[in-house]
Amino acid sequence: MSVIVIEFITLDGVVSDPDGSAGTPSGGWAFRYGPESVAGDKFRLGSALDDGVLLLGRRTWDLFSRLWPGRDDPFSARMNAVPKLVATRTLTDVSAWQNSRVLDRDLADAVRSERRDVVVTGSLGVVRRLMSHRLVDEYRLLTFPVVLGTGQRLFPADGPPAELECVSVEQVGAAVLTRHRSTGRPVAR
């Protein structure tokens, strides 16, 4: 089992509002580069999506539950079919998107006991909680050639240290997909 975090990210590390749905002044930055950079399985999830579980925070689940069920291309069919765990304290009805269920226990404990690959997309609060427990095995980052200067960053200045190994780099449209694995080695501050 691996925990894989996937994120659209800017050159300066910003991950917030890549599609513009949050209405931030700089939102929509990833989608300005066209569908060849964002559509389909750009994160090369393959069997991790087919045999794993998708873990989402409430806001990401809310957004995705309005977008994905109405789509019928092959990647959308995979997104709709994958089991989904929703980390939320406020949402109780997740019937709007098939195969969704509310996580009914502590996030870190649930991830530790999961036997399938866990794919976390967006959901920065969930990602940060997993980072604080050193549970992220791999980051797949689709980096876009833009610097925003403001916004929430994947790795905050006051966050836990992480030593990573770059395992692959691939151009995807205007973006670059990088895969980084945690080395598991402690990092001195």
Side-chain angles (χ1 to χ4, degrees), residues 36-99:
E36 63 277 355
S37 295
V38 296
D41 190 7
K42 298 302 183 205
F43 290 99
R44 309 297 188 248
L45 294 170
S47 64
L49 190 59
D50 294 332
D51 303 325
V53 61
L54 196 59
L55 174 60
L56 305 160
R58 183 198 49 81
R59 284 190 304 258
T60 302
W61 184 90
D62 280 342
L63 173 64
F64 284 12
S65 71
R66 291 189 305 271
L67 297 174
W68 290 104
R71 297 178 179 177
D72 62 359
D73 60 274
F75 183 70
S76 296
R78 291 171 69 206
M79 285 292 286
N80 289 324
V82 67
K84 298 161 216 38
L85 299 175
V86 186
T88 181
R89 291 189 184 108
T90 59
L91 193 61
T92 56
D93 181 9
V94 293
S95 62
W97 195 14
Q98 69 186 21
N99 302 318

Side-chain angles (χ1 to χ4, degrees), residues 8 10 15 19-21 27 30-31 48 50 63 84 91 104 110 114 125 139 149 156-157 160 181 187:
F8 293 129
T10 66
V15 294
D19 65 346
S21 64
F31 288 70
D50 294 332
L63 173 64
K84 298 161 216 38
L91 193 61
D104 58 0
E114 184 59 54
Y139 295 90
R181 286 198 188 118
V187 178

